[in-house]
Amino acid sequence: MLFDVERTTIAGRAALTVRGEVDTATSTQLATAAEALLDTSPAGLVIDLSPTRFLDSSGARALVAIARRCTAGGIDLHVIAPRTNRPVRLPLELLQLERVVPLVNSAGELPSVNAGRETP
Amino acid sequence: MPGGPAGEDALLRCADEPIAVPGAVQPHGALVAVTEPDLAVVVASANAPALFGRPVAGTSLDQLLDDEDTARLLAGLAGDLAEVNPLRVRLAGGEVDLVLHRADGLLVTEWEPVGGAEQAGAAWHRRLPSTLQRLSATATLEELTEVLARDVRALTGFDRVMVYRFDAEWNGEVIAEDRREDLEPFLGLRYPAGDIPAQARALYATNWMRLIPDAGYRPVPLEPPVTPSTGRPLDLSGAMLRSVSPVHLEYLANMGVVSSMSVSLIDRGKLWGLIACHHYAGPHRPSYADRVATEFLGRTASLLLPTPVAAGEQNGMLEVAQRRAELAAAIGRTPRSLTEALTEGEVTALDLLPAAGVAVRINGQLRLLGETPPADRVVPLVQGLLAAGSPVTDAVSRVLPEAADLSGTASGVLAVEVAGGREDFLAWFRPETLREITWGGNPYTSTTAQTDAGPRLSPRRSFDAWSETVRETARPWREHEVDAARGLAALLTGTAANRAEEDNRLATALQRTLLLEQLPKVPGVALAARYLPSEEDVVGGDWYDIVPLPGGRVSIVLGDVAGHGLAAAAITAQLRHALRAHLLRAPGPAAALDGLNEVIGALLPGELATAIVAELDPATGDVVVASAGHPPVLVATAAGTTYLHEGRGPALGLLDVADYAETRVHLDGDDRLLLFSDGLVERSADGLAAGLEDLRAAVAAGPADPQELLDAVLGALNPPRTDDVTLLGVART
């Protein structure tokens, strides 16, 4: 299996865990999965690229599109792209994607989902 | 052990059983075979002397009959025997029905006493026209077989009359029944194919009627056992008194059947089913006349069969054809967006045929409708079935045991490939139908029992119906459904091929405008370019340009639009020309990229591209570099080979205002610059970073001449041709 998007939950948020290679052949599937999830109007969205092995400019374009939709919809987006995952992190850095797409290094860096809310 | 060698051996022995030449008859009549025209007795059943009240061997029929009956017999022999039967004659013991046919070159005469036979009587025969009218007025198979079972029972008086239909594997199913009210219903029961062996079915296809008045009978041997003229036992395949296989008698005894009769149902020359009659209360023998009437009903029903059978087969065909035409029209309207045509219209691929879900994979993109396995399982499932040569199955787990957990959505899969080398397909899914199949006995239990003579067939002892739940099985795909799916796939293949051809032509034409036929001669600069287009069937988004500027400077450009195909090629063309314009007007590379970024934001929202510009002054060797998200330029000097990490900004289209930066380097002597697209390095086995390092090492070790350098780099890195690969080498002369 070269590519797979799985709906998961990370740090209490709706998440997409992306495995394999994100390229021209598969980036649409990432976009479609994200759109389907965003249609449910979640409070936040996490895209976990930790298990992603490859990401090219098509994948980057898909992430930008997702980021723009999240911004427009007031949805809190975080993309986990560990610095240790060079095949994914390096192209994102070359493109300076972090200026539009909030990149974090790990799930631990995500702000608490309950921040600012009353606890029962 | 039905599948084991002993089981096969026993089945073969049954298949070898000489059911046509048993050498014996049933005792409810006598058989005498004679020569013609002298009527001399050649073979006779051992009970014939008792019937005639005198020995028959060595005599002739004219000695056994009175003169009047002999004359009627002789008159009948001159014409069609079927019209003679039966010849009612008087013997010492009473009235007898004489039935004639010819076999083995002899006239076979069968003598059945009228006394002891059940007579439906003249009343029934008077009703025959209305019975026939009822039969022919039926519109469906259910009605036809119901009327048939009811009328045959009314005519013959059997305790139970069933209409029994064979499936493609010769398993039988009771599809209509009329029975004594106190009897347990057999309607819906199924019987395994082995219950009626192949040689019996062959006999039934030519001989329409069989009767066993008393299954407990003792066979009456023929004398002599071997017919002198042929050297083998008399052929009884056309004889009504033929003694049946002991295996069959055992089978009837196991069911508690004392008397049995069956009439063949033959559809267009092929055995289609049987009218099977059972009697339990005791021996039962309908009269010859009533049997002929029953056979007549069977033949009439057989003639009527094709219409309702075909109607049943056609059920649903019209709807599928209609949907297929509607989908074909949708594809014709939007040949450039096949996925949308199949999934977003009023009629979707899911409507084509009865299925719970469908997967449409076009150009490598998967779309799911209805109830399907999860997206990540669909592709391996379908590819597994295609690889196994079972793209159409109603029992997926028998082909792919690892897919057994998908039975809730995909016990049945009908998959068709869409050709074009992109592993595209259409696949329809049916869930598990927990099918309750009622079998007459367990078809999987052994039919073989040990006897002193070795294993032999022993029909099942219990005929209590039992339900078998067939798990991980879906409703079977019908032939016209498979045809419709294949037809749709062929249409998609053709449409996609036309479209791909058209796209390629357009994209190649565009690409030609993007690439320079010949690099312009720029005084003082040595330039080399290599462009390797992607070997995938679409054009990539790379471009390069050499733009001579006023004052002798020259801008060297390399860019890459995210995406592939015609759309990317069109955007590439726009960006190339827009950047040219900005380079000519702007004060420097960074300002030109700012302008290009604005163009994307304003005119091409959503697109993403990278570009790098190196502006060289050949007179001084000064170079100004600005990058928009592009892989860094490589500078090879006597001091070393390094990437230029300054002067970089975000990819084009990322921000409304990018505000690009510039950096400067100086080229002396043999110093070189190398610009490249990510296709050169990104698919390195160890990742992009390793690819960049390999490239650096290759350039450091490479020759000084730009042309030779590029060839050496391509040779060393050998990038896969999944994306465009572009390199520009620059040096001073």
Side-chain angles (χ1 to χ4, degrees), chain A residues 27-97:
Chain A
S27 58
T28 324
Q29 280 171 264
L30 170 59
T32 307
E35 276 168 31
L37 210 159
L38 291 173
D39 283 342
T40 67
S41 301
L45 170 63
V46 175
I47 295 179
D48 185 6
L49 302 180
S50 310
T52 306
R53 286 185 44 237
F54 177 84
L55 184 135
D56 74 356
S57 57
S58 309
R61 187 172 67 162
L63 290 176
V64 170
I66 294 166
R68 290 197 171 126
R69 179 159 170 198
C70 286
T71 304
I75 295 166
D76 194 19
L77 172 71
H78 294 278
V79 174
I80 303 176
R83 287 191 192 89
T84 49
N85 189 359
R86 298 295 288 157
V88 168
R89 185 74 185 213
L90 186 55
L92 295 180
E93 287 173 357
L94 281 177
L95 296 166
Q96 300 193 359
L97 220 69

Side-chain angles (χ1 to χ4, degrees), chain A residues 4 21 23-24 61 68 94-95, chain B residues 376 564 607 629 650-651 653 683:
Chain A
D4 168 56
E21 306 190 346
D23 58 15
T24 46
R61 187 172 67 162
R68 290 197 171 126
L94 281 177
L95 296 166
Chain B
D376 58 330
H564 284 261
E607 297 301 336
R683 285 287 181 178

